[in-house]
Amino acid sequence: MIAPAEIVERLARVDCCALSDALDRLRIKGAVTHLPQRSGAGRIAGIAVTFRVAPGDPPPGPARHLGTTAIEASDSLSIIVVEQRSGIEAGCWGGLLTRGAINRGVVGVVADGPVRDIDEARELGFPIFTNKTTSFTARGRVVDQGTNIDVSIGDLTVSPGDYIVADNSAVIVVKPADVERVLAAAEDIAAREAAMIKSIEAGIPISEVMGGNYEHMLTEPMK
């Protein structure tokens, strides 16, 4: 069994298109394509810490600001994944949370729902992927409904402990039970693409390069 830190390190070296192709090869669902990167730069990879934001009463216990429990449950391998699909325009993440996450070593945030203070996140270089930004506070509108629970982004369910990779093409979610074979398939695909690039740079006609290798990349078994 591969250690989680090694898996994250290897995932970070593979772009989301290769991972999406690997998921296609294995007939596994795991790509969300409508959460663009709004701050930070480059691909991120990590392990999901989740929370959900919605209207209503917060869970029992001492009052806590939304997202703070998730930050304190995170470490340097964590990507915080937030569901805010209430239909109420209210931030599920903001500048102070960004600073708290940076202090904790969090890799980045993926949010299906509005995020505040995106300029502050950009100034700090903190990666956030989200489908919407807003100025509206959560106060009086929505509350944190729970940390490290199943949440939804796009048409996927993300569970705490799932592997997350995000770049400007997609957000990829891989279940721990699938990650080793998805990673192996993605690395195989990336290696084939690298060989094809060398062929193109060597002057081989692109129709030859793509007509054979590329068309069968997802159906041929790995060597």
Side-chain angles (χ1 to χ4, degrees):
M1 182 177 292
I2 307 172
E6 182 181 346
I7 290 173
V8 169
E9 182 180 352
R10 287 170 60 186
L11 285 170
R13 294 198 292 263
V14 184
D15 66 65
C16 286
C17 289
L19 285 163
S20 179
D21 289 351
L23 291 168
D24 281 348
R25 177 191 279 180
L26 297 169
R27 302 184 183 279
I28 298 171
K29 192 175 180 180
V32 178
T33 58
H34 69 281
L35 299 174
Q37 187 166 18
R38 302 298 185 111
S39 61
R43 186 182 314 122
I44 63 171
I47 299 171
V49 172
T50 65
F51 73 97
R52 180 185 300 119
V53 173
D57 296 324
R64 299 194 63 149
H65 189 282
L66 64 84
T68 57
T69 303
I71 290 171
E72 291 175 358
S74 297
D75 59 25
S76 61
L77 292 178
S78 301
I79 292 177
I80 294 177
V81 181
V82 192
E83 176 190 334
Q84 205 292 60
R85 295 162 43 139
S86 66
I88 297 170
E89 186 170 355
C92 63
W93 191 266
L96 292 174
L97 293 178
T98 290
R99 291 177 184 274
I102 290 170
N103 187 61
R104 193 74 176 177
V106 172
V107 177
V109 166
V110 171
D112 192 340
V115 169
R116 274 166 47 102
D117 301 316
I118 200 68
D119 289 326
E120 187 172 353
R122 288 172 178 167
E123 291 169 5
L124 295 167
F126 183 71
I128 295 178
F129 294 77
T130 183
N131 53 6
K132 190 171 184 181
T133 59
T134 186
S135 64
F136 289 107
T137 180
R139 289 187 295 275
R141 296 185 172 96
V142 293
V143 298
D144 191 328
Q145 294 283 356
T147 298
N148 275 336
I149 57 176
D150 286 355
V151 299
S152 295
I153 62 166
D155 59 354
L156 299 180
T157 297
V158 180
S159 300
D162 287 351
Y163 288 90
I164 308 293
V165 186
D167 64 18
N168 281 291
S169 292
V171 174
I172 302 292
V173 180
V174 186
K175 300 297 179 184
D178 297 324
V179 73
E180 291 192 24
R181 63 193 183 119
V182 170
L183 181 54
E187 290 174 336
D188 174 72
I189 289 167
R192 294 188 191 201
E193 289 184 342
M196 292 162 66
I197 290 169
K198 287 184 179 179
S199 296
I200 293 168
E201 291 175 344
I204 297 173
I206 193 167
S207 59
E208 293 182 25
V209 175
M210 298 193 72
N213 294 335
Y214 191 82
E215 294 304 321
H216 300 291
M217 190 180 294
L218 300 185
T219 58
E220 290 180 350
M222 291 184 291
K223 297 178 181 179

